[in-house]
Amino acid sequence: MWRLRRAAVACEVCQSLVKHSSGTKGSLPLQKLHLVSRSIYHSHHPILKLQRPHFRTSFQQFSSLTNLPLRKLKLSPIKYGYQPRRNFWPARLAARLLKLRYLILGSAVGGGYTAKKTFDQWKDMIPDLSDYKWIVPDIVWEIDEYIDLEKIRKALPDSEDLAKLAPDFDKIVESLSLLKDFFTTGHKLVSEVIEASDLLLLLGSPGETAFRATDPGSESDKRYRKVSDKEKIDQLQEELLHTQLKYQRILERLEKENKELRKLVLQKDDKGIHHRKLKKSLIDMYSEVLDVLSDYDASYNTQDHLPRVVVVGDQSAGKTSVLEMIAQARIFPRGSGEMMTRSPVKVTLSEGPHHVALFKDSSREFDLTKEEDLAALRHEIELRMRKNVKEGCTVSPETISLNVKGPGLQRMVLVDLPGVINTVTSGMAPDTKEIIFSISKAYMQNPNAIILCIQDGSVDAERSIVTDLVSQMDPHGRRTIFVLTKVDLAEKNVASPSRIQQIIEGKLFPMKALGYFAVVTGKGNSSESIEAIRDYEEEFFQNSKLLKTSMLKAHQVTTRNLSLAVSDCFWKMVRESVEQQADSFKATRFNLETEWKNNYPRLRELDRNELFEKAKNEILDEVISLSQVTPKHWEEILQQSLWERVSTHVIENIYLPAAQTMNSGTFNTTVDIKLKQWTDKQLPNKAVEVAWETLQEEFSRFMTEPKGKEHDDIFDKLKEAVKEETIKRHKWNDFAEDSLRVIQHNALEDRSISDKQQWDAAIYFMEEALQARLKDTENAIENMVGPDWKKRWLYWKNRTQEQCVHNETKNELEKMLKCNEEHPAYLANDEITTVRKNLESRGVEVDPSLIKDTWHQVYRRHFLKTALNHCNLCRRGFYYYQRHFVDSELECNDVVLFWRIQRMLAITANTLRQQLTNTEVRRLEKNVKEVLEDFAEDSEKKVKLLTGKRVQLAEDLKKVREIQEKLDAFIEALHQEK
């Protein structure tokens, strides 16, 4: 009986448990009761089997917390009044504790499956960013080259150290035994039984429980599905944007730290702390290759096959501002609405310890951190542009090369072109628009050039003409990067923001592009610094609706991202094309060398500069040879040249007028007066002119005379140009005339002939002079009257009518002179009338002027013959001269005059020779050196003066070799960097 009563009490306990258990619906059969109830013997249920009940709940919480590992709870034994006297609760407690591992294992499996499925759902929602891998700079993918990951891995704790940080499960089990005081109450027992049954269900079917956690039919999943897809996308985009901004700041911080570290390293290298030679940077080597190619013969057209970044855009679209943001300095001249870029500017960006800029042909460095140097640099660029522009033009195709170095600059070569215009305004040349188009096409038609197309976002897109030009040159957009500037103004002015998105995505233009970017180039204030513009740009895009509404992606904004993308694209293009160009130059070099060997096998390959140096040495040697001319030779040619220059004046203006006088006193007075006037006004100047002409003749003779087999006619044009330019620049010393005037005046004042030899020399000099004048006079009379009877008979020549008249007049005047041999030099009017009437009586009509002209030549011949006869008489007159012609009818004052002239010529020639050898030859040599130095700096003049197939072939060979060497060095450095 007591067993029946005990079973009835147990059934009542089980029914109460079923009624008060939370999370259950309806009643459960006996088979569904908890395991604890089945620990009690029920005799009136013979079909009772020990089975695991299916404990179902109406609510299952979906959270990440449900995936945490569950701890097995310790169950308290049931203590009721109807229990057997023997109590086995320690054994049951031990059995429950041994099942703890099963509870932990089941919860881990179910939670892991739930976590994996949740992770897959989130992974599917994240967009694929592999297509934008090129936006990320190379330094991110090559970070393992700069950061030693092996050291970081070794610095991390081992698995054993991590195991020490895990909780001690033995101590946890021991601490569970302290909870047995809580098993004294029945309410505690019931709750622990319910929890234990729940855990057992998890242990019994972990896969089923985990599946329920993600079952679409569950109540938690339904709540999750209530959230709209749009809100999910917005939330994910916002999280992605914040993540990108976060990593952008981290990247900027790392770049700044790297920039400072590299600056310190480069500064230490400059100071010599590290005794090692820094190699030239890749971008500097590549820029040198482009500089050499720009000077190369355009017929090969090879310079257009190497990459560079070509910046094109409409005028005032912000091209220069974008370039300044990339260079991190305001280096270009600016103006409000006017054309400032008048010629292409090649800017080579490279990394260096200091932010400086320098021109290719100058050693001056401009410190870009100082406003004074920035202003000087802008002024220098503007001056160079105006110098390149020829008269009557507005723009020029000549390129200005500028190198900009600084810490953190992206390495690349950019070319800023003049802005494309739609209309030629006043002040511009009529062909300005066509020239700008031709310059832009010349740079963009390079198949490896990267086109940076700049579009002003603040104006209507339909007004732009540069997009059509770019689409013509790159229709598939494989090397074009589109940049929309002034986005801040565009966002304010454009009514529909989607229009900006259409521009960025390339849907508004027919032009295709490799990438699309949006930038802000400041607030329009020319005095803004680069740092202020960058801060304003970042602040604008952080608050811009274009970025928040996903019209623009985070990698499409800011000039920093643009600079990284352009640099990456530039180097990718360089790596793909530079080896092909090197191979083409190898073939070109082989062809040129073969041509030289076939045409000039015995000549050394000398380019234009080397030929100029060789010609320069020859010219200087020839100038030095002037100092080796003997003094006797100088004096002879100076005296002869000076007499040829002054002989006409001496005979016509001094000797003939003085000879017309009646006595010796008047003759000497007339001679002294005329010599004094001549010395004061004309003679010194004439002497200096003669000396300078003599120096020129000797210099020209040495320059032009052939040197035998060693003579190279390729230098003839250069020598002639040097001679002409030197003569043009050389001027005789101004003080030479004053000193020469005193010397000449003293020489002409001396009348004393010391010996018979000097007297004979004076007579000989006088005879030569008179005979030369007589010969000239005979020739003049012959031309006037025509050939005589011998020439008429022998050579069949006839006289003209005018010559017949002159001949009749001459015969009539000779009759007059025969009648009066001492006739004065001029005819009287009545004598002219008599001659004219006599000729008219013979039927010859003459004019009085013709009579006078004929008389001048007839009387001149008569006078010179009389003077020569008198000269022969004076050969014996030296004795009378010593006695001053006392008691003698012979007077030889004309001999004394010619002796004075001869002595003055000798003294003047000696003085000029001293000036030549002591001063003027050295000054001439100095002028020649200056001319040669000027020619050496003028490449255009060298091209004009040193020409020919041989020169051009040697020039091409030199340039091809130089380009090939630089390309090989660049390729080797490029491979080493890889």
Side-chain angles (χ1 to χ4, degrees):
M1 293 298 291
W2 64 272
R3 288 183 177 179
L4 293 174
R5 285 194 298 270
R6 187 172 58 181
V9 171
C11 291
E12 291 177 0
V13 171
C14 292
Q15 291 174 3
S16 65
L17 287 174
V18 172
K19 290 179 181 180
H20 292 88
S21 63
S22 62
T24 60
K25 292 182 180 182
S27 60
L28 295 172
L30 185 61
Q31 293 88 342
K32 304 294 183 178
L33 292 178
H34 204 272
L35 185 61
V36 178
S37 64
R38 285 186 277 118
S39 65
I40 305 174
Y41 181 73
H42 294 272
S43 60
H44 57 280
H45 289 287
I47 60 174
L48 179 64
K49 296 180 180 180
L50 292 175
Q51 298 177 354
R52 291 185 185 274
H54 296 282
F55 186 75
R56 299 182 181 275
T57 59
S58 61
F59 176 76
Q60 183 71 28
Q61 183 69 29
F62 179 71
S63 173
S64 60
L65 297 176
T66 61
N67 300 328
L68 295 175
L70 302 176
R71 294 183 300 174
K72 187 173 181 180
L73 301 176
K74 186 177 78 172
L75 302 176
S76 300
I78 303 175
K79 293 183 179 181
Y80 286 100
Y82 302 97
Q83 288 183 347
R85 292 182 180 179
R86 289 186 300 177
N87 192 359
F88 297 99
W89 64 269
R92 287 192 293 272
L93 179 62
R96 300 296 188 273
L97 291 175
L98 289 175
K99 294 179 181 180
L100 179 63
R101 60 182 180 274
Y102 300 107
L103 298 176
I104 295 175
L105 180 61
S107 61
V109 172
Y113 180 79
T114 306
K116 181 178 182 302
K117 196 163 185 180
T118 306
F119 173 75
D120 292 339
Q121 290 178 355
W122 280 76
K123 184 178 179 181
D124 294 338
M125 295 178 185
I126 297 175
D128 187 9
L129 299 179
S130 61
D131 295 337
Y132 304 98
K133 182 179 178 181
W134 65 276
I135 298 298
V136 182
D138 292 340
I139 190 174
V140 177
W141 309 114
E142 300 172 358
I143 195 170
D144 56 341
E145 298 181 5
Y146 304 97
I147 300 176
D148 195 348
L149 299 179
E150 186 65 24
K151 291 184 179 179
I152 297 176
R153 188 184 64 79
K154 292 180 180 179
L156 293 175
D158 299 335
S159 58
E160 297 178 358
D161 298 334
L162 292 175
K164 294 179 182 179
L165 301 176
D168 192 352
F169 292 101
D170 296 335
K171 292 184 179 180
I172 293 175
V173 173
E174 293 178 1
S175 62
L176 289 176
S177 62
L178 299 176
L179 299 177
K180 71 178 182 176
D181 295 338
F182 295 97
F183 298 120
T184 56
T185 59
H187 182 71
K188 291 273 187 171
L189 175 63
V190 174
S191 61
E192 290 294 328
V193 168
I194 296 172
E195 290 182 9
S197 63
D198 191 5
L199 294 174
L200 288 174
L201 287 174
L202 288 172
L203 180 61
S205 58
E208 184 183 357
T209 308
F211 179 75
R212 288 196 193 103
T214 58
D215 189 5
S218 64
E219 186 176 352
S220 62
D221 223 13
K222 290 179 180 179
R223 289 189 179 183
Y224 184 76
R225 290 176 61 187
K226 289 180 180 179
V227 182
S228 64
D229 294 340
K230 184 177 180 181
E231 293 178 355
K232 292 179 183 178
I233 294 174
D234 294 342
Q235 184 179 3
L236 288 175
Q237 286 180 348
E238 185 175 358
E239 291 179 0
L240 181 62
L241 179 61
H242 285 298
T243 304
Q244 288 177 341
L245 292 176
K246 174 184 175 182
Y247 285 110
Q248 183 85 5
R249 296 190 190 97
I250 294 174
L251 182 62
E252 290 177 1
R253 179 174 57 82
L254 292 175
E255 285 181 353
K256 186 176 181 180
E257 293 176 358
N258 184 34
K259 176 179 174 180
E260 295 295 331
L261 290 174
R262 289 183 65 85
K263 182 177 180 179
L264 292 175
V265 171
L266 293 173
Q267 286 177 347
K268 289 180 181 179
D269 289 332
D270 288 344
K271 294 177 182 177
I273 296 177
H274 300 288
H275 297 284
R276 62 184 179 90
K277 185 177 179 180
L278 286 177
K279 293 183 178 179
K280 192 175 294 185
S281 64
L282 272 178
I283 192 63
D284 290 337
M285 297 171 68
Y286 184 75
S287 179
E288 289 181 359
V289 173
L290 293 181
D291 289 337
V292 175
L293 283 171
S294 63
D295 299 332
Y296 188 57
D297 188 2
S299 61
Y300 291 97
N301 205 22
T302 309
Q303 69 272 22
D304 293 336
H305 293 168
L306 285 177
R308 71 262 287 160
V309 181
V310 180
V311 185
V312 296
D314 297 323
Q315 183 180 350
S316 303
K319 300 186 290 71
T320 303
S321 299
V322 172
L323 193 54
E324 287 180 337
M325 290 293 292
I326 295 176
Q328 299 181 12
R330 313 212 67 169
I331 57 178
F332 292 102
R334 55 184 54 85
S336 57
E338 59 178 329
M339 178 181 293
M340 300 305 298
T341 306
R342 297 180 178 271
S343 64
V345 181
K346 181 176 76 69
V347 181
T348 303
L349 300 180
S350 58
E351 196 171 14
H354 307 288
H355 203 187
V356 295
L358 66 159
F359 292 97
K360 167 191 169 184
D361 55 353
S362 175
S363 60
R364 178 187 176 184
E365 287 189 351
F366 297 88
D367 190 351
L368 301 183
T369 60
K370 297 179 181 179
E371 188 58 36
E372 298 83 1
D373 284 16
L374 279 172
L377 177 61
R378 290 192 291 265
H379 181 66
E380 180 67 19
I381 292 176
E382 186 175 2
L383 289 179
R384 287 174 179 259
M385 286 183 180
R386 296 188 180 277
K387 182 180 179 181
N388 289 343
V389 176
K390 298 180 180 179
E391 186 178 358
C393 299
T394 306
V395 293
S396 170
E398 297 182 16
T399 305
I400 299 174
S401 296
L402 180 67
N403 293 338
V404 178
K405 298 182 180 180
L409 292 182
Q410 297 298 322
R411 304 173 303 168
M412 67 184 92
V413 177
L414 304 102
V415 182
D416 186 21
L417 300 180
V420 179
I421 60 174
N422 194 15
T423 305
V424 177
T425 60
S426 60
M428 293 184 180
D431 58 347
T432 301
K433 179 179 177 181
E434 289 74 16
I435 293 178
I436 294 176
F437 268 81
S438 63
I439 294 173
S440 302
K441 289 181 178 180
Y443 277 92
M444 288 191 293
Q445 69 184 2
N446 176 6
N448 294 322
I450 301 169
I451 303 173
L452 198 63
C453 181
I454 309 297
Q455 170 65 37
D456 189 352
S458 62
V459 299
D460 295 335
E462 292 78 7
R463 294 169 56 186
S464 174
I465 58 177
V466 70
T467 53
D468 296 335
L469 180 62
V470 172
S471 61
Q472 293 175 7
M473 307 307 298
D474 185 22
H476 301 290
R478 295 173 182 171
R479 52 189 179 90
T480 301
I481 297 177
F482 181 81
V483 182
L484 186 67
T485 61
K486 306 177 185 179
V487 184
D488 51 342
L489 300 178
E491 188 178 21
K492 294 179 182 178
N493 300 333
V494 177
S496 175
S498 61
R499 185 176 178 83
I500 299 178
Q501 184 181 11
Q502 292 177 353
I503 296 175
I504 290 295
E505 294 178 353
K507 297 179 180 179
L508 202 62
F509 299 108
M511 181 190 72
K512 298 179 182 180
L514 191 66
Y516 299 87
F517 289 86
V519 298
V520 174
T521 55
K523 301 178 182 180
N525 186 4
S526 60
S527 61
E528 283 183 292
S529 63
I530 296 296
E531 291 76 12
I533 297 175
R534 186 184 297 113
D535 295 340
Y536 171 70
E537 182 184 42
E538 293 180 357
E539 180 183 358
F540 167 77
F541 282 116
Q542 287 179 1
N543 302 323
S544 175
K545 295 180 181 179
L546 300 173
L547 207 59
K548 290 182 178 180
T549 56
S550 300
M551 292 185 182
L552 299 178
K553 304 299 187 295
H555 66 271
Q556 291 182 301
V557 298
T558 71
T559 51
R560 183 186 298 274
N561 290 335
L562 171 64
S563 177
L564 293 173
V566 173
S567 177
D568 184 70
C569 187
F570 169 76
W571 284 108
K572 179 181 179 182
M573 194 78 75
V574 168
R575 292 186 181 97
E576 292 176 353
S577 61
V578 67
E579 292 187 0
Q580 181 181 359
Q581 296 302 308
D583 293 339
S584 67
F585 270 101
K586 289 179 182 178
T588 304
R589 175 178 177 178
F590 176 78
N591 295 336
L592 293 175
E593 288 177 347
T594 304
E595 185 178 358
W596 181 273
K597 291 177 182 178
N598 293 332
N599 294 322
Y600 310 102
R602 298 183 180 181
L603 293 178
R604 190 160 56 96
E605 300 171 5
L606 298 178
D607 61 3
R608 186 170 282 110
N609 292 330
E610 293 171 341
L611 287 172
F612 182 83
E613 290 298 324
K614 183 179 179 181
K616 176 181 177 181
N617 295 331
E618 289 187 7
I619 293 172
L620 293 177
D621 292 341
E622 291 164 357
V623 174
I624 292 175
S625 63
L626 282 174
S627 59
Q628 299 177 358
V629 178
T630 61
K632 181 180 180 182
H633 178 73
W634 279 120
E635 292 182 7
E636 287 178 356
I637 58 177
L638 284 171
Q639 186 172 352
Q640 181 180 357
S641 300
L642 183 58
W643 171 243
E644 291 176 356
R645 180 67 59 88
V646 301
S647 60
T648 302
H649 181 82
V650 171
I651 300 297
E652 302 292 337
N653 298 331
I654 298 177
Y655 176 61
L656 288 178
Q660 303 302 319
T661 58
M662 301 303 296
N663 52 51
S664 60
T666 308
F667 178 87
N668 292 331
T669 303
T670 304
V671 167
D672 292 340
I673 294 173
K674 291 187 176 294
L675 288 177
K676 181 68 169 58
Q677 294 175 351
W678 183 44
T679 306
D680 292 340
K681 295 180 180 180
Q682 299 180 10
L683 183 58
N685 187 22
K686 294 288 184 181
V688 171
E689 289 180 0
V690 168
W692 176 217
E693 291 176 0
T694 303
L695 180 61
Q696 292 181 30
E697 291 175 359
E698 290 297 309
F699 177 56
S700 300
R701 182 173 64 84
F702 281 105
M703 291 279 287
T704 56
E705 67 180 358
K707 303 296 188 298
K709 294 182 179 180
E710 298 179 357
H711 178 70
D712 195 346
D713 56 357
I714 203 171
F715 300 141
D716 292 345
K717 293 177 66 176
L718 176 61
K719 291 181 178 180
E720 185 67 23
V722 171
K723 183 193 74 173
E724 293 177 357
E725 185 65 23
T726 302
I727 291 172
K728 187 186 299 183
R729 295 186 184 184
H730 186 78
K731 293 182 179 179
W732 205 273
N733 192 355
D734 296 334
F735 300 101
E737 292 187 10
D738 297 334
S739 59
L740 196 59
R741 181 178 292 107
V742 176
I743 294 173
Q744 290 173 341
H745 187 271
N746 294 333
L748 291 173
E749 286 290 329
D750 189 8
R751 298 186 181 89
S752 60
I753 303 175
S754 58
D755 54 16
K756 182 70 166 58
Q757 185 178 0
Q758 293 181 357
W759 180 269
D760 293 338
I763 292 176
Y764 179 75
F765 175 64
M766 180 179 176
E767 284 182 346
E768 283 188 344
L770 295 177
Q771 286 176 358
R773 291 296 163 181
L774 179 60
K775 185 177 179 180
D776 294 338
T777 304
E778 293 285 355
N779 293 331
I781 294 174
E782 183 179 357
N783 293 330
M784 183 183 297
V785 300
D788 56 3
W789 65 272
K790 290 183 180 180
K791 291 181 179 181
R792 290 198 304 271
W793 281 97
L794 293 176
Y795 302 106
W796 294 84
K797 293 182 178 180
N798 296 318
R799 290 174 177 172
T800 63
Q801 184 67 27
E802 184 179 0
Q803 289 177 344
C804 292
V805 173
H806 277 288
N807 183 53
E808 294 294 335
T809 307
K810 178 183 75 71
N811 295 333
E812 189 68 25
L813 293 173
E814 286 178 349
K815 293 178 182 179
M816 184 183 297
L817 280 175
K818 288 180 180 179
C819 296
N820 185 12
E821 293 183 354
E822 295 181 359
H823 194 284
Y826 300 99
L827 287 175
N829 292 331
D830 55 348
E831 292 176 335
I832 295 174
T833 303
T834 302
V835 172
R836 183 169 60 85
K837 288 182 177 181
N838 292 337
L839 292 174
E840 288 178 355
S841 63
R842 295 199 298 267
V844 179
E845 296 289 338
V846 294
D847 188 77
S849 60
L850 187 143
I851 297 174
K852 292 180 180 180
D853 295 338
T854 308
W855 168 255
H856 176 73
Q857 298 298 332
V858 171
Y859 180 81
R860 183 185 182 85
R861 183 177 62 177
H862 170 72
F863 174 80
L864 292 175
K865 289 181 178 181
T866 304
L868 284 173
N869 294 330
H870 181 71
C871 184
N872 290 327
L873 295 175
C874 289
R875 290 181 184 276
R876 304 184 300 270
F878 179 70
Y879 172 76
Y880 299 103
Y881 165 76
Q882 289 180 332
R883 299 181 61 183
H884 303 289
F885 300 103
V886 177
D887 299 333
S888 174
E889 296 180 357
L890 182 63
E891 294 182 358
C892 297
N893 294 314
D894 49 357
V895 177
V896 177
L897 170 63
F898 277 94
W899 180 82
R900 294 166 68 182
I901 298 295
Q902 186 183 28
R903 188 168 182 272
M904 182 273 298
L905 292 175
I907 294 175
T908 302
N910 180 268
T911 305
L912 292 176
R913 190 266 307 167
Q914 293 180 13
Q915 292 181 0
L916 280 172
T917 56
N918 297 335
T919 305
E920 300 304 327
V921 172
R922 289 198 297 267
R923 291 180 64 239
L924 181 68
E925 182 181 357
K926 181 180 178 182
N927 289 335
V928 170
K929 291 181 179 179
E930 292 178 355
V931 170
L932 289 172
E933 289 175 359
D934 293 343
F935 283 7
E937 296 176 358
D938 193 346
S939 58
E940 294 182 358
K941 190 172 288 295
K942 286 193 292 186
V943 171
K944 292 179 181 178
L945 299 177
L946 294 173
T947 58
K949 180 180 179 181
R950 167 186 158 195
V951 181
Q952 191 61 44
L953 186 59
E955 193 75 12
D956 292 340
L957 261 174
K958 176 196 173 184
K959 290 182 179 179
V960 168
R961 286 171 180 162
E962 183 180 3
I963 293 169
Q964 184 184 354
E965 291 173 359
K966 290 184 179 294
L967 277 175
D968 292 341
F970 173 74
I971 293 172
E972 182 180 358
L974 193 64
H975 291 323
Q976 290 178 358
E977 188 180 74
K978 288 183 180 180

